[in-house]
Amino acid sequence: MQNKKNKLVEIIEFTDPVCTWCWGSEPALRKLETRYGNQIKISFIMGGLVKDITAFYDHFNNIGGDPERSNSNIARHWVEASERHGMPVKSEGFRLFSKEHPSTYPQNIAYKAALMQDEVLANKFLRRIREASAAEAKQTNTTEVLVELASEIGLDASRFLNDFTSEGAQIAFEQDLATTAKYGAHGFPSFLIRYGEKEMMVRGYQRYEGFKAIISHLSEGAIREQLFMVNEGAILSFIATFGSVAPVEIQTAFDLSDQELESILISLDEKDQITRREAGNGYFIGPKVSVMACDSRTGVCQA
């Protein structure tokens, strides 16, 4: 019998890279990673939200049919969702679908292609697709944009392109679709939480407290939050670990009030330790790093 101390809690998200409530789940997932560390493993199964927008219809949000009308309604829906979950969304210039690119399946297949290269980078890539789709209004179902994003986060662009267009990535995605159907995960996000032989399925957007309760229940208290510090150093480490974070992600991970969050960000700004990048109705924070660059006018290269 396996010792409980050697077990991990697996949190498997059934998702699509452009699902707005999956985007809104990022703060809770990052809090889980911060509070539980290597006691948990978060992974993703691609569920394929929209096979073809022209044959899709969401009656509640009036999304589907004509791609351009759908884009307008999706943008409005995402902004409304952003007001609840707090993650940045850009509606200006939003154009997720077109007649030539009517599906979110390319983003799903792209993640599976990245996974063939490196799991850590694949998960960073998934996050980058979410950012680009939601907060930068990029049309992420085009090959050109996907290759650009893959290269940005350190994937080998040539290998990614080969894997993305391979039969292997398509088959891997089809296997994910079969697993999604097996568990009846028709809405995204849905989460399968597993500890040893025990597992529990929860559907829809979940807050951190819900995950915490399920982890405690499944592990019978064996998996617990780790001790953590709430100070500028810990927050700077959090930013450096993830590279690009929305303010709500810091606030959620460290249980900060609006005033506490703003005070810490102002202090880190004044010390020139962070950067801010505007994104739609919000912004992202990153660690301040030296930029190695060469000026073509002067021929001078410096950090």
Side-chain angles (χ1 to χ4, degrees), residues 237-257:
S237 177
F238 176 86
I239 295 168
T241 296
F242 294 108
S244 175
V245 299
V248 68
E249 295 181 286
I250 300 173
Q251 187 170 26
T252 300
F254 293 93
D255 294 326
L256 301 173
S257 67

Side-chain angles (χ1 to χ4, degrees), residues 209-257:
E209 290 72 22
F211 287 114
K212 181 180 176 180
I214 293 170
I215 289 170
S216 178
H217 172 75
L218 290 178
S219 71
E220 297 179 0
I223 304 296
R224 302 178 183 177
E225 287 182 318
Q226 300 172 337
L227 292 176
F228 68 100
M229 301 294 292
V230 181
N231 54 40
E232 287 187 13
I235 290 170
L236 196 59
S237 177
F238 176 86
I239 295 168
T241 296
F242 294 108
S244 175
V245 299
V248 68
E249 295 181 286
I250 300 173
Q251 187 170 26
T252 300
F254 293 93
D255 294 326
L256 301 173
S257 67

Side-chain angles (χ1 to χ4, degrees), residues 96-116:
L96 183 61
F97 296 108
S98 64
K99 289 183 180 179
E100 298 77 19
H101 302 283
S103 177
T104 68
Y105 278 23
Q107 293 97 320
N108 289 255
I109 296 168
Y111 173 75
K112 302 305 293 187
L115 206 57
M116 293 165 71

Side-chain angles (χ1 to χ4, degrees), residues 7-286:
K7 287 185 179 179
L8 286 172
V9 168
E10 296 178 82
I11 299 174
I12 302 165
E13 178 182 331
F14 294 86
T15 190
D16 183 287
V18 301
C19 159
T20 190
W21 285 106
C22 300
W23 179 228
S25 297
E26 292 286 280
L29 295 184
R30 289 190 162 181
K31 184 172 184 176
L32 284 163
E33 290 178 294
T34 302
R35 297 294 181 91
Y36 287 93
N38 59 11
Q39 298 180 102
I40 66 167
K41 176 179 173 57
I42 297 173
S43 58
F44 304 92
I45 291 177
M46 296 295 107
L49 182 61
V50 179
K51 183 176 183 180
D52 183 343
I53 193 66
T54 64
F56 175 92
Y57 197 67
D58 173 354
H59 294 270
F60 187 78
N61 295 297
N62 195 26
I63 295 169
D66 179 68
E68 298 304 333
R69 179 182 55 78
S70 294
N71 287 333
S72 176
N73 289 338
I74 291 168
R76 182 170 59 251
H77 169 54
W78 283 16
V79 169
E80 291 171 355
S82 174
E83 292 170 357
R84 294 177 59 190
H85 59 58
M87 293 294 282
V89 166
K90 181 179 179 181
S91 58
E92 182 181 356
F94 182 91
R95 192 167 185 263
L96 183 61
F97 296 108
S98 64
K99 289 183 180 179
E100 298 77 19
H101 302 283
S103 177
T104 68
Y105 278 23
Q107 293 97 320
N108 289 255
I109 296 168
Y111 173 75
K112 302 305 293 187
L115 206 57
M116 293 165 71
Q117 191 172 146
D118 183 277
E119 183 178 8
V120 172
L121 289 179
N123 289 343
K124 289 183 178 180
F125 180 50
L126 176 59
R127 165 65 182 224
R128 188 68 190 95
I129 297 174
R130 296 198 201 281
E131 284 184 2
S133 303
E136 298 170 15
K138 290 190 175 184
Q139 191 170 3
T140 55
N141 52 9
T142 67
T143 300
E144 295 77 12
V145 170
L146 288 168
V147 171
E148 175 189 344
L149 298 178
S151 180
E152 278 183 24
I153 58 88
L155 286 164
D156 182 305
S158 176
R159 179 177 170 185
F160 168 76
L161 183 57
N162 287 336
D163 289 338
F164 176 57
T165 55
S166 74
E167 185 180 15
Q170 177 68 40
I171 291 172
F173 173 49
E174 290 172 358
Q175 290 171 342
D176 274 14
L177 290 178
T179 303
T180 300
K182 172 185 174 182
Y183 280 94
H186 304 300
F188 308 132
S190 290
F191 298 92
L192 178 65
I193 302 151
R194 179 184 293 148
Y195 181 73
E197 300 300 317
K198 297 186 290 184
E199 61 184 33
M200 185 177 294
M201 187 80 174
V202 289
R203 305 174 196 280
Y205 172 74
Q206 304 293 320
R207 297 192 180 277
Y208 173 80
E209 290 72 22
F211 287 114
K212 181 180 176 180
I214 293 170
I215 289 170
S216 178
H217 172 75
L218 290 178
S219 71
E220 297 179 0
I223 304 296
R224 302 178 183 177
E225 287 182 318
Q226 300 172 337
L227 292 176
F228 68 100
M229 301 294 292
V230 181
N231 54 40
E232 287 187 13
I235 290 170
L236 196 59
S237 177
F238 176 86
I239 295 168
T241 296
F242 294 108
S244 175
V245 299
V248 68
E249 295 181 286
I250 300 173
Q251 187 170 26
T252 300
F254 293 93
D255 294 326
L256 301 173
S257 67
D258 290 345
Q259 184 177 0
E260 289 169 333
L261 174 66
E262 188 59 25
S263 176
I264 288 172
L265 293 182
I266 288 172
S267 177
L268 292 174
D269 255 334
E270 290 174 346
K271 294 174 182 176
D272 201 28
Q273 292 181 306
I274 59 172
T275 61
R276 297 194 189 209
R277 174 170 60 94
E278 298 300 318
N281 60 359
Y283 62 96
F284 293 108
I285 300 158

